Amino acid sequence: MLIDTYGRVATDLRVSLTDRCNLRCTYCMPEEGLQWLAKPDLLTDDEIVRLVDIAVRLLGIEEVRFTGGEPLLRPGLVGIVERVTALAPRPRTSLTTNGIGLKRTAAALKAAGLDRVNVSLDTLRPDVFKTLTRRDRHKDVIEGLEAAHAAGLTPVKINSVLMPGLNEDEAPDLLAWAIEHGYEQRFIEQMPLDAQHGWKREGMVTAGDILASLRTRFDLTPEGAEERGSAPAERWLVDGGPHRVGVIASVTRPFCAACDRTRLTADGQIRTCLFATEETDLRAALRGDASDEEIARIWKLAMWGKKAGAGLDDPTFVQPDRPMSAIGG
């Protein structure tokens, strides 16, 4: 198993399939100028499947989340999903996406065995979407959500980041819209993972701000710690249920003590945390003909050194050099 010195056991693997994205969200990357990973540096489809197999078979991983960048830009995605869902024991699988390519791929992903999707949608207003993402693709995301729901990639979860002066007033509207369409709404505090290092703690829309805004229209009942488990989102029943809303408060209400995640970057590095400043290279071991057992040993050693927490409120916090697009959400 993947255990650290604080007794946490990682059972959830996040796999970044590419650092590329077809949006340029202001809280993630600059409009231009990012240096993309060279193709030889990226893990091949076979290498990804082998590493996931090692994680599932030898290290106790039970859930695999495919991320990016934008994972739908990975040419071999459907095949990777099909091979991962054929592993024994079979892991639960999900995908975090901006939704732009879901209209054409949702059915194929479901047929390949994918269980569900998380889709990023920060606003219901096309003009605000264009400002936030620097792309005019709002309609494509809406259609992608519809396709995912129709294909049975459920529960379809919507991830929304609220930004001061842009969409901070939209929390109640987003939740009402998600409930109307049968999606599960989650709000995520903006995190210091932008490539241009423009994040500022002051002025960010906090979990407290989001909940206060939601309570102007809805009655929220906490679900409780037992229901939450190791999930990053605190959840509330909306107007007594059955609908729920989640808030991921990585900055103001960190959940590091219950973290059960390990992360594999698109170029084969293990990261113990989104905010880690160190990585462990598995690609070199893979391409150096290391055995599955040796790769598992390296992975265990990396996780043993996992730190207690991110310390985002610590004045000595150092933002990772890699943007979120390269790490995987």
Side-chain angles (χ1 to χ4, degrees):
M1 68 175 62
L2 292 170
I3 189 169
D4 65 33
T5 54
Y6 298 93
R8 296 169 297 192
V9 177
T11 57
D12 184 335
L13 170 61
R14 308 296 170 99
V15 181
S16 175
L17 298 178
T18 178
D19 61 331
R20 296 176 184 267
C21 188
N22 41 13
L23 297 179
R24 294 293 180 272
C25 297
T26 56
Y27 52 78
C28 183
M29 62 175 68
E31 188 167 8
E32 55 187 22
L34 269 183
Q35 185 69 41
W36 304 116
L37 291 170
K39 188 172 182 180
D41 292 336
L42 293 170
L43 294 177
T44 66
D45 294 0
D46 288 344
E47 288 171 336
I48 290 170
V49 174
R50 183 183 172 195
L51 287 175
V52 175
D53 175 56
I54 291 169
V56 168
R57 186 167 43 84
L58 300 179
L59 297 173
I61 289 297
E62 300 172 356
E63 181 167 354
V64 177
R65 171 85 60 86
F66 298 106
T67 70
E70 173 45 53
L72 296 183
L73 295 179
R74 177 89 186 200
L77 172 62
V78 173
I80 291 171
V81 171
E82 188 170 33
R83 293 168 66 185
V84 166
T85 55
L87 295 175
R90 183 200 189 280
R92 299 185 300 275
T93 57
S94 57
L95 179 85
T96 295
T97 172
N98 62 30
I100 288 176
L102 266 181
K103 182 179 180 180
R104 67 176 183 275
T105 57
L109 287 168
K110 181 64 177 179
L114 188 71
D115 294 316
R116 64 172 190 83
V117 294
N118 287 13
V119 180
S120 298
L121 179 67
D122 300 323
T123 178
L124 298 175
R125 305 192 294 252
D127 59 324
V128 176
F129 182 92
K130 188 174 181 180
T131 299
L132 278 167
T133 67
R134 305 183 179 105
R135 299 291 186 270
D136 190 11
R137 305 296 297 272
H138 189 264
K139 180 173 179 289
D140 296 317
V141 179
I142 301 301
E143 291 177 347
L145 281 161
E146 293 169 351
H149 192 271
L153 293 170
T154 54
V156 176
K157 296 182 180 180
I158 295 177
N159 293 338
S160 302
V161 176
L162 301 182
M163 302 284 287
L166 286 172
N167 62 340
E168 63 184 319
D169 61 331
E170 285 198 67
D173 290 339
L174 281 162
L175 177 54
W177 186 83
I179 290 172
E180 178 187 351
H181 290 84
Y183 309 138
E184 185 174 321
Q185 179 68 49
R186 304 198 309 177
F187 296 97
I188 304 176
E189 286 183 337
Q190 184 195 1
M191 294 179 283
L193 289 168
D194 55 310
Q196 60 272 36
H197 290 197
W199 180 86
K200 294 288 188 296
R201 173 66 176 80
E202 308 78 31
M204 65 171 284
V205 181
T206 67
D209 298 331
I210 294 165
L211 292 169
S213 179
L214 291 174
R215 286 186 171 115
T216 64
R217 196 182 306 180
F218 303 98
D219 179 54
L220 303 180
T221 306
E223 207 176 42
E226 288 187 9
E227 288 289 336
R228 180 183 185 184
S230 61
E234 292 182 77
R235 297 201 305 180
W236 286 261
L237 292 173
V238 181
D239 293 338
H243 300 290
R244 292 170 170 81
V245 62
V247 178
I248 299 177
S250 301
V251 178
T252 62
R253 302 184 187 183
F255 41 86
C256 302
C259 180
D260 66 349
R261 283 165 288 288
T262 182
R263 300 175 184 275
L264 177 65
T265 68
D267 56 348
Q269 310 299 306
I270 288 299
R271 296 181 68 91
T272 59
C273 174
L274 265 177
F275 305 102
T277 54
E278 296 117 12
E279 298 176 332
T280 300
D281 188 2
L282 291 188
R283 185 186 63 198
L286 271 177
R287 297 179 182 178
D289 296 325
S291 67
D292 288 359
E293 289 73 19
E294 174 60 14
I295 291 169
R297 187 193 68 80
I298 295 170
W299 204 329
K300 286 180 180 179
L301 190 60
M303 292 305 294
W304 184 250
K306 184 172 181 174
K307 295 181 180 179
L312 302 187
D313 279 337
D314 187 329
T316 64
F317 170 73
V318 177
Q319 181 170 338
D321 290 334
R322 294 227 229 181
M324 195 187 305
S325 62
I327 299 169

